[in-house]
Every structure is written in C-alpha cells, then in structure tokens.
C-alpha cells in the first residue's frame, strides 16, 4: 500500500512499552538509582587519578634526556675557556660546565654541588671524568654518555672514575628514594585511617589538633623504624642514623598534616588530592629512577618543590655528601608540615564560623 505524506510511521519495537528503547531507558534509570550522584563523582575522580598516574609516570620516564647537568672542567687556563664553551654549546644543553682547578673540582664533587668533574690533560689524548654514583646512577651514566660523545668529537677519550660511589647495599643509589616513598605513604595512610575511623573532616579545631598531635609519635616511630630498616637491618644506608630518623619524622608528619588539611578542605575527596600530590606528581619527580636533570621540564621543576624530591635529595646528601646543600630541602619539608598544621586548624575554625553565620541568617 502506498503511503501518504500525512500517514504516521508504524510503531517500532523500540517505541512500544517494553521494547528495546524502554529497556535501555530502564537500564539507565536502574544504573542511576544504583549509583548515587556523589558516588558517581567519586568514581569519576578515581578514573581521573588513574589516568593521571599513567600520564605522570610515563610522561616523566618515557624519554629521559640530560639537561644542564652541573660539571666542573679542570684544565690549564689556555684551554679551559674553549673546553667549557664547547661543552655548554652541545645541542640540547645537556651540560652546565664551569671552569675551575682540579682541587676545587674534587671538593665541589665531594659536597654534591656538581655531578662530575672533567680533568683535561693537554699532553695526553685521554682525559679523566670523575663522577659521583652516590648522587644517582642515572645521572652519572648520562654524564658518561655525554662526555664520551664530546670527547669523541675532539678525537679524545675519557677514562671514568666513580670518585664517590654509593654504598655496597645501595644499588644504583635508589634506597634513599624508596625510603622516602615508604615514609610518605605511611604519613598519608595514618591520616586517611583516622579519617575513616573518626570522620573525614574534623568537627572542631580541637579535633584537628588531636589528630595532629597523634601524628607526632607516629612520625617519630616511623622515622626511627625506616632508618633502622635501611641501616642496621638491611645495610643499604649505613650511618647517620639519628639524622635519617629526624628527616623521616619530618616527612611522615608533613604527609599526615597535609592529608588532614586536605580532608578539612575537601572532606573524603581530600584523600584523592593527597594521592595526586604525593603519588601522581611527587614520586616521578623525586629523582629516584631518573635524576631531576634527566626529567622533562614540568617534573624537573616540581622536584625540589614537593616533599618527595626534597626528602630524597636531603637523604642522599646526608648519607654521601656530609649534608651539604640540604637547607632548602629542610625548609620545604618544614613548610609542608607547618602549612598542613595551620590549614587543618584554621580551616576547621573558618568552616565552623561560616556554617554558624549561615544558620544564624
């Protein structure tokens, strides 16, 4: 039968009650009923954290390239300026070379101020490259590669000497990084468990203060325990037990205080913000698997500004470089501990006042 312009379209199965369209709408309604909007938002947040984790770790580690690794060049005055100019002029600026005498170069390497020292010997075709494996095997290896390329271009070679190697039990100098990871995880897990037991957001400033006070002995025990494990128990980082313990206590308390602060500001979602800061951003930028000089600009800039990177640098320099150059690291760790404390207490106070004002209105 021919259809006319005014005829209605035959009803399909999808439009009939109980058809496919109704079934799909019923399925969506059941799903929305089973997953409240607040829970759905949390699940979306978890997905974003997961994808952020992949992006951050792969983004940081997938293509390491050296960038301005600090190195001293010890050479006679007549050849030093040219040697420094050629090293600093390499494509991509892998090195940051400065001229000095050999004694000063060795001292700067001993204190961790530089990552290597090139001793140029004009009367020979073989120079000497001094490295500090204790400062991170990845950086030392990258430095060897870059110097070998530079020396080859000049028809020369360089013999490599690891002047300050890591301890025998500290494979590739990674123990410092994993020690800091353990301390950081312990700090935010402590605060997260308190939140699960007592409520994500403290009800009063006194309640926030009690949580912060409870974190103090936990942090002290964590610092002592971590130092004991890497030192006497495993022999990975021997010596400087009390200094390591103090750093650990500061790291753990700072992580706990920041987690409590995030819970005050964001409630249960504060745990996600903590994971974003310490795990998604902090770990890949800390200088563990690859030194900060080998990371892309974003992660390289984050490294000294986050507790993970600051603590890793501090532990390495306490263990191997007599604690030189850690003042800025300690300031960062103290800032997170103090900032977390202040935000926790003041944040609860301000939230209570705002709620009281709204209720009075």
């Amino acid at each position: 039968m021919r259809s006319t312009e005014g005829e209605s379209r035959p009803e399909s199965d999808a439009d009939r009650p109980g058809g496919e369209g109704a079934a799909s709408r019923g399925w969506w309604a059941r799903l929305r009923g089973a997953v409240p909007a607040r829970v759905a938002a949390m699940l979306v947040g978890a997905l974003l954290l997961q994808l952020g984790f992949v992006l951050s770790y792969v983004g940081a580690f997938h293509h390491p390239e050296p960038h301005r690794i600090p190195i001293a060049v010890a050479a006679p005055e007549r050849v030093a300026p040219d040697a420094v100019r050629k090293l600093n002029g390499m494509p991509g600026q892998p090195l940051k070379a400065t001229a000095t005498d050999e004694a000063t170069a060795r001292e700067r390497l001993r204190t961790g101020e530089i990552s290597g020292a090139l001793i140029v010997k004009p009367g020979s075709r073989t120079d000497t490259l001094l490295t500090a494996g204790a400062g991170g095997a990845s950086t030392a290896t990258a430095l060897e590669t870059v110097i070998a390329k530079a020396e080859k271009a000049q028809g020369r070679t360089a013999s490599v000497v690891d002047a300050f190697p890591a301890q025998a039990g500290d494979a590739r100098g990674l123990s410092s990084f994993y020690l800091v990871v353990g301390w950081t995880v312990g700090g935010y897990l402590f605060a997260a468990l308190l939140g699960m037991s007592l409520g994500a957001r403290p009800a009063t400033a006194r309640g926030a203060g009690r949580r912060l006070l409870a974190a103090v002995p936990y942090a002290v025990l964590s610092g002592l325990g971590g130092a004991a494990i890497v030192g006497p128990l495993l022999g990975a980082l021997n010596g400087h037990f009390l200094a390591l313990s103090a750093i650990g206590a500061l790291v753990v308390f700072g992580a706990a205080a920041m987690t409590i602060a995030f819970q005050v500001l964001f409630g249960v979602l504060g745990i996600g913000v903590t994971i974003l800061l310490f795990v998604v951003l902090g770990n890949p930028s800390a200088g563990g698997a690859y030194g900060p000089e080998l990371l892309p600009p974003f992660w390289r800039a984050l490294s000294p500004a986050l507790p993970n990177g600051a603590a890793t640098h501090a532990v390495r320099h306490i263990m191997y470089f007599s604690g030189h150059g850690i003042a800025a690291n300690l300031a960062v760790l103290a800032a997170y501990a103090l900032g977390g404390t202040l935000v926790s207490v003041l944040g609860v106070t301000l939230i209570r006042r705002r709620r009281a004002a709204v209720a009075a209105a």
Side-chain angles (χ1 to χ4, degrees), residues 69-76 79-88 90 95-109 114-122 124-132 143-152 154 156-161 163:
I69 299 176
I71 179 174
V73 178
V79 300
D82 185 59
V84 168
R85 179 182 59 80
K86 288 178 179 177
L87 291 177
N88 287 335
M90 295 182 70
L95 302 177
K96 182 182 179 181
T98 54
T100 186
D101 59 87
E102 183 173 343
T104 302
R106 289 180 179 274
E107 177 62 15
R108 293 176 65 193
L109 188 62
I114 56 176
S115 298
L118 181 64
I119 314 300
V120 179
K121 303 174 181 177
S124 170
R125 302 197 69 80
T126 301
D127 300 323
T128 300
L129 173 64
L130 305 179
T131 63
L143 187 57
E144 292 177 29
T145 302
V146 173
I147 290 298
K149 181 179 179 180
E151 292 280 276
K152 184 178 180 180
Q154 301 299 315
R156 303 175 64 81
T157 59
S159 61
V160 180
V161 177

Side-chain angles (χ1 to χ4, degrees), residues 93 102 299:
Q93 293 186 303
E102 183 173 343
W299 290 268

Side-chain angles (χ1 to χ4, degrees), residues 220-298:
V220 172
L221 291 175
S222 296
L224 291 169
I229 290 172
V230 299
L233 182 60
L234 298 178
L237 297 174
N238 294 301
H240 306 284
F241 179 82
L242 291 180
L244 279 188
S245 300
I247 292 289
L250 187 55
V251 171
V252 174
F253 180 80
M258 288 301 300
T259 304
I260 294 171
F262 288 141
Q263 289 175 320
V264 166
L265 296 176
F266 307 110
V268 69
L269 295 180
I271 300 297
V273 180
T274 301
I275 294 173
L276 174 65
L277 179 68
F278 290 114
V279 179
V280 175
L281 297 176
N283 283 347
S285 65
Y290 293 106
E293 302 90 350
L294 307 182
L295 299 177
F298 175 74

